[in-house]
Structure formats: C-alpha cells, structure tokens
Amino acid sequence: MSHVPPEQRETPRVGDDGKVAALAGWTLFILSIPSANLLVLVGLIVAYAARHSAQGVPRQHLDAQIRLFWSVFWWTIACWIAIAVSVVMSVVLIGIPFLILFGVLWFLISVWFTVKSVFGLLNLLGDRGP
C-alpha cells in the first residue's frame, strides 16, 4: 500500500454525484422518439436508480426527469383514450374533428417532451437547474 501525500490526493468535487446519470437520462429521453419510446424507460430507470446518491444540480435534474416522464405519460394516456373514443365516434362522423385534434395534441406532447429534454440537457451541461 503506497502512501499518497494529502496535497496529491484526489478529492471528490461537490455536486458531481449523479451528473453522469442525469446526462444519460436526458440523452435517453432525447433518443426516445427514434427508439419507439423504449429508451425513455431506460432513462427513467437510470433517474430512479441514481437520484438517491445525487446531490445539488444533478439531483434537481434527476427529479425533473422523473416528473417530466410521469406528466407526459399521463397526458399521453389521456390522449390515447380520447383518440380511441374519437375513432368510435367517427363511425357517425362526429369524431373525425376530435380525432384530428387529439392526434395533433399527442404529436405536440411528443415535441414538447423532446424540447424539454434538450433544454434540460443544455441546462445540465451549463450547471444550471432544470
């Protein structure tokens, strides 16, 4: 066992705990659309696994990733239910405008999720909160 003088010892930087996980989470969120939303689940698992050991800004980002996932999840479920009802109502032509409306809303939720993830990644890289 070698002795390293105190001035040469590497000290952990405060706030670095969880930064890699937060970076991975935002990146996986951004890549979720090309991956048919499979990578968003991996990003969520990373965020949940790392948030207890994270501190400071990375912890804020991990918490923001979890909140973002669940809010988008529930809005997407609501959109899909509305789309299903609109499809049924389309049989009598009443549902066609609603089908278009909820389809556009679902698309906008996907765009909002991606934009929010990009801004989250940029804020994390700049050591700013989400």
Side-chain angles (χ1 to χ4, degrees):
M1 185 158 62
S2 65
H3 176 68
V4 178
E7 62 275 357
Q8 292 180 355
R9 289 186 194 147
E10 186 176 324
T11 57
R13 293 171 47 190
V14 176
D16 278 352
D17 290 346
K19 188 166 185 175
V20 172
L23 285 169
W26 285 128
T27 303
L28 290 167
F29 277 23
I30 292 166
L31 294 174
S32 68
I33 290 179
S35 73
N37 291 328
L38 294 177
L39 291 179
V40 74
L41 296 175
V42 177
L44 180 67
I45 292 168
V46 168
Y48 270 118
R51 78 175 177 165
H52 295 296
S53 64
Q55 303 171 4
V57 172
R59 171 63 189 251
Q60 294 172 6
H61 280 272
L62 293 169
D63 289 339
Q65 290 169 11
I66 293 168
R67 280 191 313 272
L68 177 64
F69 172 83
W70 287 112
S71 66
V72 168
F73 174 80
W74 290 116
W75 278 106
T76 301
I77 294 296
C79 272
W80 278 108
I81 291 171
I83 287 170
V85 169
S86 297
V87 165
V88 171
M89 290 175 49
S90 293
V91 172
V92 290
L93 302 177
I94 296 172
I96 293 173
F98 293 105
L99 184 62
I100 294 168
L101 173 71
F102 293 122
V104 169
L105 183 61
W106 174 63
F107 173 74
L108 291 175
I109 289 170
S110 299
V111 169
W112 176 73
F113 177 80
T114 304
V115 168
K116 186 96 168 134
S117 298
V118 168
F119 281 123
L121 179 63
L122 293 174
N123 286 336
L124 180 62
L125 292 173
D127 288 325
R128 294 182 303 270

Short mmCIF file of all heavy atoms in Angstrom, two decimals, residues 40-100:
data_model
loop_
_atom_site.label_atom_id
_atom_site.label_comp_id
_atom_site.label_asym_id
_atom_site.label_seq_id
_atom_site.Cartn_x
_atom_site.Cartn_y
_atom_site.Cartn_z
N VAL A 40 -36.78 5.79 -23.31
CA VAL A 40 -37.28 6.65 -22.24
C VAL A 40 -37.46 5.83 -20.96
O VAL A 40 -37.23 6.33 -19.85
CB VAL A 40 -38.58 7.38 -22.64
CG1 VAL A 40 -39.77 6.47 -22.66
CG2 VAL A 40 -38.83 8.55 -21.72
N LEU A 41 -37.83 4.57 -21.09
CA LEU A 41 -37.96 3.71 -19.91
C LEU A 41 -36.60 3.45 -19.27
O LEU A 41 -36.48 3.42 -18.05
CB LEU A 41 -38.65 2.40 -20.28
CG LEU A 41 -40.08 2.55 -20.77
CD1 LEU A 41 -40.63 1.21 -21.24
CD2 LEU A 41 -40.95 3.15 -19.70
N VAL A 42 -35.57 3.28 -20.09
CA VAL A 42 -34.22 3.10 -19.57
C VAL A 42 -33.78 4.38 -18.86
O VAL A 42 -33.20 4.33 -17.77
CB VAL A 42 -33.23 2.72 -20.69
CG1 VAL A 42 -31.82 2.61 -20.16
CG2 VAL A 42 -33.66 1.43 -21.37
N GLY A 43 -34.09 5.54 -19.45
CA GLY A 43 -33.77 6.82 -18.82
C GLY A 43 -34.47 6.98 -17.49
O GLY A 43 -33.89 7.50 -16.53
N LEU A 44 -35.72 6.55 -17.41
CA LEU A 44 -36.46 6.63 -16.15
C LEU A 44 -35.82 5.74 -15.09
O LEU A 44 -35.68 6.16 -13.93
CB LEU A 44 -37.92 6.22 -16.38
CG LEU A 44 -38.81 6.26 -15.14
CD1 LEU A 44 -39.00 7.70 -14.66
CD2 LEU A 44 -40.15 5.62 -15.44
N ILE A 45 -35.43 4.55 -15.47
CA ILE A 45 -34.78 3.63 -14.52
C ILE A 45 -33.46 4.23 -14.03
O ILE A 45 -33.15 4.18 -12.83
CB ILE A 45 -34.57 2.24 -15.16
CG1 ILE A 45 -35.92 1.57 -15.38
CG2 ILE A 45 -33.65 1.37 -14.32
CD1 ILE A 45 -35.88 0.34 -16.26
N VAL A 46 -32.69 4.82 -14.93
CA VAL A 46 -31.43 5.47 -14.55
C VAL A 46 -31.71 6.60 -13.55
O VAL A 46 -31.01 6.74 -12.54
CB VAL A 46 -30.68 6.00 -15.79
CG1 VAL A 46 -29.54 6.93 -15.41
CG2 VAL A 46 -30.18 4.85 -16.64
N ALA A 47 -32.72 7.41 -13.83
CA ALA A 47 -33.04 8.54 -12.94
C ALA A 47 -33.45 8.05 -11.56
O ALA A 47 -33.00 8.59 -10.54
CB ALA A 47 -34.14 9.39 -13.56
N TYR A 48 -34.30 7.03 -11.51
CA TYR A 48 -34.72 6.49 -10.21
C TYR A 48 -33.54 5.87 -9.46
O TYR A 48 -33.41 6.04 -8.25
CB TYR A 48 -35.81 5.43 -10.38
CG TYR A 48 -37.21 6.00 -10.33
CD1 TYR A 48 -38.06 5.89 -11.42
CD2 TYR A 48 -37.69 6.64 -9.20
CE1 TYR A 48 -39.35 6.39 -11.39
CE2 TYR A 48 -38.97 7.15 -9.14
CZ TYR A 48 -39.80 7.02 -10.24
OH TYR A 48 -41.07 7.53 -10.20
N ALA A 49 -32.67 5.15 -10.16
CA ALA A 49 -31.55 4.48 -9.52
C ALA A 49 -30.51 5.45 -8.97
O ALA A 49 -29.91 5.20 -7.93
CB ALA A 49 -30.89 3.50 -10.49
N ALA A 50 -30.31 6.57 -9.66
CA ALA A 50 -29.23 7.48 -9.28
C ALA A 50 -29.66 8.63 -8.39
O ALA A 50 -28.82 9.30 -7.80
CB ALA A 50 -28.58 8.05 -10.55
N ARG A 51 -30.95 8.88 -8.26
CA ARG A 51 -31.35 10.10 -7.56
C ARG A 51 -31.05 10.09 -6.08
O ARG A 51 -30.87 11.15 -5.49
CB ARG A 51 -32.81 10.41 -7.82
CG ARG A 51 -33.78 9.61 -7.02
CD ARG A 51 -35.16 10.10 -7.28
NE ARG A 51 -36.09 9.26 -6.54
CZ ARG A 51 -37.32 9.57 -6.32
NH1 ARG A 51 -37.80 10.69 -6.79
NH2 ARG A 51 -38.11 8.76 -5.66
N HIS A 52 -30.96 8.93 -5.45
CA HIS A 52 -30.70 8.91 -4.01
C HIS A 52 -29.25 9.23 -3.67
O HIS A 52 -28.96 9.72 -2.58
CB HIS A 52 -31.11 7.57 -3.42
CG HIS A 52 -32.59 7.34 -3.51
ND1 HIS A 52 -33.51 8.12 -2.84
CD2 HIS A 52 -33.31 6.47 -4.23
CE1 HIS A 52 -34.73 7.72 -3.13
NE2 HIS A 52 -34.63 6.71 -3.99
N SER A 53 -28.34 8.99 -4.59
CA SER A 53 -26.94 9.32 -4.33
C SER A 53 -26.53 10.66 -4.92
O SER A 53 -25.43 11.13 -4.69
CB SER A 53 -26.03 8.21 -4.88
OG SER A 53 -26.15 8.16 -6.29
N ALA A 54 -27.43 11.28 -5.69
CA ALA A 54 -27.10 12.55 -6.34
C ALA A 54 -27.30 13.71 -5.37
O ALA A 54 -28.10 13.64 -4.44
CB ALA A 54 -27.97 12.73 -7.58
N GLN A 55 -26.56 14.78 -5.65
CA GLN A 55 -26.64 15.99 -4.82
C GLN A 55 -26.72 17.20 -5.73
O GLN A 55 -26.27 17.17 -6.86
CB GLN A 55 -25.40 16.13 -3.95
CG GLN A 55 -25.09 14.98 -3.06
CD GLN A 55 -23.72 15.13 -2.41
OE1 GLN A 55 -23.06 16.14 -2.60
NE2 GLN A 55 -23.32 14.13 -1.68
N GLY A 56 -27.26 18.28 -5.20
CA GLY A 56 -27.23 19.56 -5.89
C GLY A 56 -27.97 19.56 -7.21
O GLY A 56 -29.06 19.01 -7.35
N VAL A 57 -27.36 20.20 -8.21
CA VAL A 57 -27.97 20.37 -9.53
C VAL A 57 -28.27 19.02 -10.19
O VAL A 57 -29.37 18.85 -10.75
CB VAL A 57 -27.10 21.27 -10.43
CG1 VAL A 57 -27.62 21.30 -11.86
CG2 VAL A 57 -27.03 22.67 -9.85
N PRO A 58 -27.37 18.03 -10.16
CA PRO A 58 -27.73 16.74 -10.77
C PRO A 58 -28.98 16.12 -10.14
O PRO A 58 -29.81 15.54 -10.84
CB PRO A 58 -26.50 15.87 -10.54
CG PRO A 58 -25.38 16.84 -10.47
CD PRO A 58 -25.95 18.04 -9.77
N ARG A 59 -29.14 16.26 -8.82
CA ARG A 59 -30.34 15.72 -8.16
C ARG A 59 -31.59 16.44 -8.67
O ARG A 59 -32.62 15.82 -8.92
CB ARG A 59 -30.21 15.87 -6.65
CG ARG A 59 -31.45 15.56 -5.84
CD ARG A 59 -31.86 14.10 -5.99
NE ARG A 59 -33.15 13.85 -5.39
CZ ARG A 59 -33.34 13.16 -4.29
NH1 ARG A 59 -32.30 12.65 -3.65
NH2 ARG A 59 -34.54 12.96 -3.82
N GLN A 60 -31.49 17.75 -8.86
CA GLN A 60 -32.63 18.50 -9.39
C GLN A 60 -33.00 18.01 -10.79
O GLN A 60 -34.19 17.89 -11.13
CB GLN A 60 -32.31 19.99 -9.45
CG GLN A 60 -32.13 20.64 -8.11
CD GLN A 60 -31.61 22.07 -8.24
OE1 GLN A 60 -31.49 22.60 -9.35
NE2 GLN A 60 -31.29 22.69 -7.12
N HIS A 61 -31.99 17.71 -11.58
CA HIS A 61 -32.25 17.23 -12.95
C HIS A 61 -32.86 15.83 -12.94
O HIS A 61 -33.77 15.54 -13.73
CB HIS A 61 -30.96 17.25 -13.78
CG HIS A 61 -30.64 18.61 -14.29
ND1 HIS A 61 -31.12 19.08 -15.48
CD2 HIS A 61 -29.89 19.61 -13.76
CE1 HIS A 61 -30.69 20.31 -15.68
NE2 HIS A 61 -29.94 20.65 -14.64
N LEU A 62 -32.38 14.96 -12.06
CA LEU A 62 -32.95 13.62 -11.98
C LEU A 62 -34.41 13.68 -11.54
O LEU A 62 -35.27 12.98 -12.08
CB LEU A 62 -32.12 12.75 -11.05
CG LEU A 62 -30.71 12.42 -11.56
CD1 LEU A 62 -29.88 11.79 -10.46
CD2 LEU A 62 -30.76 11.53 -12.78
N ASP A 63 -34.70 14.54 -10.56
CA ASP A 63 -36.08 14.71 -10.12
C ASP A 63 -36.94 15.29 -11.25
O ASP A 63 -38.09 14.88 -11.44
CB ASP A 63 -36.15 15.63 -8.90
CG ASP A 63 -35.61 14.96 -7.64
OD1 ASP A 63 -35.56 13.71 -7.60
OD2 ASP A 63 -35.24 15.69 -6.70
N ALA A 64 -36.38 16.23 -12.01
CA ALA A 64 -37.11 16.82 -13.14
C ALA A 64 -37.39 15.78 -14.21
O ALA A 64 -38.46 15.79 -14.84
CB ALA A 64 -36.32 17.99 -13.72
N GLN A 65 -36.45 14.86 -14.44
CA GLN A 65 -36.67 13.80 -15.43
C GLN A 65 -37.82 12.90 -15.01
O GLN A 65 -38.66 12.53 -15.83
CB GLN A 65 -35.39 12.98 -15.61
CG GLN A 65 -34.28 13.72 -16.30
CD GLN A 65 -32.95 12.99 -16.22
OE1 GLN A 65 -32.88 11.84 -15.81
NE2 GLN A 65 -31.89 13.68 -16.60
N ILE A 66 -37.87 12.57 -13.74
CA ILE A 66 -38.94 11.71 -13.24
C ILE A 66 -40.29 12.42 -13.35
O ILE A 66 -41.27 11.84 -13.82
CB ILE A 66 -38.64 11.27 -11.79
CG1 ILE A 66 -37.41 10.35 -11.77
CG2 ILE A 66 -39.85 10.58 -11.16
CD1 ILE A 66 -36.83 10.09 -10.41
N ARG A 67 -40.33 13.69 -12.95
CA ARG A 67 -41.58 14.47 -13.07
C ARG A 67 -42.01 14.60 -14.53
O ARG A 67 -43.20 14.45 -14.85
CB ARG A 67 -41.42 15.86 -12.46
CG ARG A 67 -41.52 15.91 -10.97
CD ARG A 67 -41.61 17.34 -10.45
NE ARG A 67 -40.62 18.25 -11.02
CZ ARG A 67 -39.40 18.43 -10.54
NH1 ARG A 67 -39.00 17.77 -9.48
NH2 ARG A 67 -38.58 19.29 -11.11
N LEU A 68 -41.06 14.88 -15.40
CA LEU A 68 -41.38 15.03 -16.83
C LEU A 68 -41.94 13.73 -17.40
O LEU A 68 -42.95 13.74 -18.11
CB LEU A 68 -40.13 15.45 -17.61
CG LEU A 68 -40.30 15.58 -19.13
CD1 LEU A 68 -41.29 16.70 -19.46
CD2 LEU A 68 -38.95 15.85 -19.79
N PHE A 69 -41.31 12.62 -17.07
CA PHE A 69 -41.80 11.33 -17.58
C PHE A 69 -43.24 11.10 -17.16
O PHE A 69 -44.09 10.78 -17.99
CB PHE A 69 -40.94 10.17 -17.09
CG PHE A 69 -41.54 8.84 -17.43
CD1 PHE A 69 -41.36 8.29 -18.68
CD2 PHE A 69 -42.35 8.16 -16.52
CE1 PHE A 69 -41.94 7.08 -19.03
CE2 PHE A 69 -42.95 6.95 -16.85
CZ PHE A 69 -42.74 6.41 -18.11
N TRP A 70 -43.53 11.24 -15.87
CA TRP A 70 -44.87 10.92 -15.39
C TRP A 70 -45.92 11.89 -15.91
O TRP A 70 -47.04 11.49 -16.21
CB TRP A 70 -44.90 10.80 -13.88
CG TRP A 70 -44.23 9.54 -13.44
CD1 TRP A 70 -43.06 9.41 -12.76
CD2 TRP A 70 -44.68 8.20 -13.70
NE1 TRP A 70 -42.74 8.08 -12.59
CE2 TRP A 70 -43.72 7.32 -13.15
CE3 TRP A 70 -45.78 7.66 -14.35
CZ2 TRP A 70 -43.86 5.94 -13.23
CZ3 TRP A 70 -45.91 6.28 -14.42
CH2 TRP A 70 -44.96 5.44 -13.86
N SER A 71 -45.58 13.16 -16.03
CA SER A 71 -46.57 14.09 -16.57
C SER A 71 -46.86 13.77 -18.03
O SER A 71 -48.03 13.74 -18.45
CB SER A 71 -46.11 15.54 -16.42
OG SER A 71 -44.97 15.81 -17.19
N VAL A 72 -45.85 13.50 -18.82
CA VAL A 72 -46.06 13.15 -20.23
C VAL A 72 -46.77 11.80 -20.35
O VAL A 72 -47.63 11.62 -21.22
CB VAL A 72 -44.71 13.16 -21.00
CG1 VAL A 72 -44.85 12.53 -22.37
CG2 VAL A 72 -44.20 14.57 -21.11
N PHE A 73 -46.45 10.88 -19.49
CA PHE A 73 -47.09 9.56 -19.51
C PHE A 73 -48.60 9.71 -19.35
O PHE A 73 -49.38 9.16 -20.13
CB PHE A 73 -46.52 8.68 -18.39
CG PHE A 73 -47.22 7.36 -18.25
CD1 PHE A 73 -46.92 6.31 -19.10
CD2 PHE A 73 -48.17 7.16 -17.25
CE1 PHE A 73 -47.57 5.08 -18.97
CE2 PHE A 73 -48.82 5.95 -17.12
CZ PHE A 73 -48.52 4.91 -17.98
N TRP A 74 -49.03 10.46 -18.33
CA TRP A 74 -50.46 10.59 -18.07
C TRP A 74 -51.17 11.40 -19.16
O TRP A 74 -52.30 11.08 -19.54
CB TRP A 74 -50.72 11.17 -16.68
CG TRP A 74 -50.36 10.17 -15.62
CD1 TRP A 74 -49.38 10.30 -14.68
CD2 TRP A 74 -50.94 8.87 -15.42
NE1 TRP A 74 -49.32 9.15 -13.91
CE2 TRP A 74 -50.26 8.27 -14.34
CE3 TRP A 74 -51.95 8.16 -16.05
CZ2 TRP A 74 -50.58 7.00 -13.87
CZ3 TRP A 74 -52.27 6.88 -15.58
CH2 TRP A 74 -51.58 6.32 -14.50
N TRP A 75 -50.53 12.43 -19.68
CA TRP A 75 -51.12 13.18 -20.79
C TRP A 75 -51.24 12.31 -22.03
O TRP A 75 -52.21 12.41 -22.79
CB TRP A 75 -50.32 14.45 -21.09
CG TRP A 75 -50.66 15.57 -20.18
CD1 TRP A 75 -49.91 16.06 -19.15
CD2 TRP A 75 -51.86 16.35 -20.19
NE1 TRP A 75 -50.56 17.09 -18.52
CE2 TRP A 75 -51.77 17.29 -19.15
CE3 TRP A 75 -53.01 16.34 -20.98
CZ2 TRP A 75 -52.78 18.21 -18.88
CZ3 TRP A 75 -54.01 17.26 -20.71
CH2 TRP A 75 -53.88 18.17 -19.67
N THR A 76 -50.26 11.46 -22.28
CA THR A 76 -50.32 10.56 -23.44
C THR A 76 -51.44 9.54 -23.28
O THR A 76 -52.16 9.25 -24.24
CB THR A 76 -48.96 9.85 -23.62
OG1 THR A 76 -47.95 10.85 -23.80
CG2 THR A 76 -48.97 8.92 -24.82
N ILE A 77 -51.59 9.00 -22.07
CA ILE A 77 -52.69 8.06 -21.82
C ILE A 77 -54.03 8.74 -22.09
O ILE A 77 -54.92 8.18 -22.74
CB ILE A 77 -52.63 7.50 -20.38
CG1 ILE A 77 -51.38 6.64 -20.19
CG2 ILE A 77 -53.90 6.73 -20.03
CD1 ILE A 77 -51.33 5.39 -21.02
N ALA A 78 -54.19 9.97 -21.59
CA ALA A 78 -55.43 10.72 -21.81
C ALA A 78 -55.67 10.93 -23.31
O ALA A 78 -56.81 10.80 -23.78
CB ALA A 78 -55.38 12.05 -21.07
N CYS A 79 -54.63 11.26 -24.04
CA CYS A 79 -54.76 11.46 -25.49
C CYS A 79 -55.17 10.17 -26.19
O CYS A 79 -56.03 10.20 -27.08
CB CYS A 79 -53.45 11.98 -26.09
SG CYS A 79 -53.33 13.75 -26.05
N TRP A 80 -54.56 9.06 -25.81
CA TRP A 80 -54.90 7.79 -26.46
C TRP A 80 -56.34 7.38 -26.16
O TRP A 80 -57.03 6.83 -27.02
CB TRP A 80 -53.91 6.69 -26.06
CG TRP A 80 -52.68 6.76 -26.88
CD1 TRP A 80 -51.44 7.16 -26.48
CD2 TRP A 80 -52.56 6.45 -28.27
NE1 TRP A 80 -50.56 7.12 -27.54
CE2 TRP A 80 -51.22 6.68 -28.65
CE3 TRP A 80 -53.45 6.01 -29.24
CZ2 TRP A 80 -50.76 6.48 -29.95
CZ3 TRP A 80 -52.99 5.80 -30.54
CH2 TRP A 80 -51.66 6.04 -30.87
N ILE A 81 -56.81 7.65 -24.94
CA ILE A 81 -58.21 7.36 -24.63
C ILE A 81 -59.12 8.24 -25.48
O ILE A 81 -60.11 7.76 -26.05
CB ILE A 81 -58.47 7.55 -23.12
CG1 ILE A 81 -57.75 6.46 -22.33
CG2 ILE A 81 -59.97 7.56 -22.82
CD1 ILE A 81 -57.75 6.67 -20.82
N ALA A 82 -58.78 9.52 -25.58
CA ALA A 82 -59.58 10.44 -26.40
C ALA A 82 -59.53 10.05 -27.87
O ALA A 82 -60.56 10.14 -28.58
CB ALA A 82 -59.07 11.87 -26.22
N ILE A 83 -58.40 9.58 -28.34
CA ILE A 83 -58.29 9.12 -29.73
C ILE A 83 -59.17 7.89 -29.95
O ILE A 83 -59.87 7.78 -30.96
CB ILE A 83 -56.81 8.85 -30.10
CG1 ILE A 83 -56.06 10.18 -30.25
CG2 ILE A 83 -56.71 8.02 -31.38
CD1 ILE A 83 -54.55 10.04 -30.37
N ALA A 84 -59.15 6.96 -28.99
CA ALA A 84 -59.99 5.75 -29.11
C ALA A 84 -61.47 6.11 -29.14
O ALA A 84 -62.23 5.57 -29.97
CB ALA A 84 -59.69 4.80 -27.96
N VAL A 85 -61.89 7.02 -28.27
CA VAL A 85 -63.29 7.45 -28.27
C VAL A 85 -63.62 8.14 -29.59
O VAL A 85 -64.70 7.94 -30.17
CB VAL A 85 -63.57 8.36 -27.06
CG1 VAL A 85 -64.93 9.04 -27.16
CG2 VAL A 85 -63.46 7.57 -25.76
N SER A 86 -62.69 8.95 -30.09
CA SER A 86 -62.91 9.66 -31.36
C SER A 86 -63.03 8.68 -32.53
O SER A 86 -63.82 8.91 -33.46
CB SER A 86 -61.78 10.64 -31.63
OG SER A 86 -61.75 11.63 -30.63
N VAL A 87 -62.26 7.61 -32.51
CA VAL A 87 -62.35 6.60 -33.57
C VAL A 87 -63.74 5.97 -33.56
O VAL A 87 -64.37 5.80 -34.61
CB VAL A 87 -61.24 5.53 -33.41
CG1 VAL A 87 -61.52 4.30 -34.26
CG2 VAL A 87 -59.89 6.13 -33.74
N VAL A 88 -64.23 5.64 -32.37
CA VAL A 88 -65.56 5.06 -32.27
C VAL A 88 -66.62 6.06 -32.75
O VAL A 88 -67.55 5.70 -33.48
CB VAL A 88 -65.84 4.60 -30.82
CG1 VAL A 88 -67.30 4.19 -30.64
CG2 VAL A 88 -64.91 3.46 -30.45
N MET A 89 -66.45 7.32 -32.36
CA MET A 89 -67.42 8.34 -32.76
C MET A 89 -67.31 8.69 -34.25
O MET A 89 -68.22 9.28 -34.82
CB MET A 89 -67.22 9.60 -31.91
CG MET A 89 -67.64 9.41 -30.46
SD MET A 89 -67.29 10.82 -29.40
CE MET A 89 -67.94 12.19 -30.29
N SER A 90 -66.21 8.32 -34.87
CA SER A 90 -66.04 8.60 -36.30
C SER A 90 -66.99 7.79 -37.17
O SER A 90 -67.23 8.15 -38.32
CB SER A 90 -64.59 8.32 -36.72
OG SER A 90 -63.73 9.24 -36.13
N VAL A 91 -67.52 6.73 -36.61
CA VAL A 91 -68.48 5.92 -37.35
C VAL A 91 -69.68 6.79 -37.75
O VAL A 91 -70.24 6.62 -38.83
CB VAL A 91 -68.94 4.71 -36.49
CG1 VAL A 91 -70.08 3.95 -37.15
CG2 VAL A 91 -67.76 3.80 -36.23
N VAL A 92 -70.04 7.73 -36.89
CA VAL A 92 -71.16 8.62 -37.20
C VAL A 92 -70.66 10.01 -37.60
O VAL A 92 -71.40 10.98 -37.56
CB VAL A 92 -72.16 8.72 -36.02
CG1 VAL A 92 -72.90 7.42 -35.84
CG2 VAL A 92 -71.45 9.13 -34.76
N LEU A 93 -69.41 10.10 -37.97
CA LEU A 93 -68.75 11.31 -38.47
C LEU A 93 -68.58 12.43 -37.44
O LEU A 93 -68.05 13.49 -37.76
CB LEU A 93 -69.48 11.86 -39.71
CG LEU A 93 -69.58 10.91 -40.89
CD1 LEU A 93 -70.39 11.55 -42.01
CD2 LEU A 93 -68.21 10.51 -41.39
N ILE A 94 -69.03 12.24 -36.23
CA ILE A 94 -68.85 13.26 -35.20
C ILE A 94 -67.41 13.29 -34.71
O ILE A 94 -66.87 14.34 -34.38
CB ILE A 94 -69.80 13.00 -34.00
CG1 ILE A 94 -71.24 13.13 -34.45
CG2 ILE A 94 -69.52 13.94 -32.85
CD1 ILE A 94 -72.25 12.69 -33.41
N GLY A 95 -66.77 12.14 -34.68
CA GLY A 95 -65.46 12.03 -34.08
C GLY A 95 -64.29 12.45 -34.94
O GLY A 95 -63.18 12.58 -34.44
N ILE A 96 -64.49 12.68 -36.22
CA ILE A 96 -63.37 12.99 -37.11
C ILE A 96 -62.63 14.26 -36.68
O ILE A 96 -61.40 14.24 -36.56
CB ILE A 96 -63.83 13.03 -38.58
CG1 ILE A 96 -64.24 11.63 -39.02
CG2 ILE A 96 -62.72 13.58 -39.47
CD1 ILE A 96 -64.86 11.55 -40.38
N PRO A 97 -63.32 15.38 -36.40
CA PRO A 97 -62.57 16.56 -35.94
C PRO A 97 -61.83 16.32 -34.62
O PRO A 97 -60.73 16.80 -34.42
CB PRO A 97 -63.64 17.64 -35.77
CG PRO A 97 -64.85 17.16 -36.48
CD PRO A 97 -64.74 15.68 -36.57
N PHE A 98 -62.47 15.54 -33.74
CA PHE A 98 -61.82 15.24 -32.46
C PHE A 98 -60.62 14.32 -32.65
O PHE A 98 -59.61 14.45 -31.97
CB PHE A 98 -62.82 14.62 -31.48
CG PHE A 98 -63.89 15.57 -31.05
CD1 PHE A 98 -65.17 15.46 -31.56
CD2 PHE A 98 -63.60 16.58 -30.15
CE1 PHE A 98 -66.16 16.34 -31.18
CE2 PHE A 98 -64.59 17.47 -29.76
CZ PHE A 98 -65.86 17.36 -30.27
N LEU A 99 -60.73 13.41 -33.59
CA LEU A 99 -59.62 12.52 -33.91
C LEU A 99 -58.42 13.33 -34.39
O LEU A 99 -57.29 13.10 -33.95
CB LEU A 99 -60.05 11.50 -34.97
CG LEU A 99 -59.03 10.44 -35.36
CD1 LEU A 99 -58.67 9.58 -34.17
CD2 LEU A 99 -59.60 9.57 -36.47
N ILE A 100 -58.68 14.28 -35.25
CA ILE A 100 -57.60 15.16 -35.73
C ILE A 100 -57.03 15.98 -34.58
O ILE A 100 -55.82 16.08 -34.41
CB ILE A 100 -58.11 16.05 -36.88
CG1 ILE A 100 -58.46 15.20 -38.10
CG2 ILE A 100 -57.08 17.12 -37.23
CD1 ILE A 100 -59.24 15.93 -39.16
#
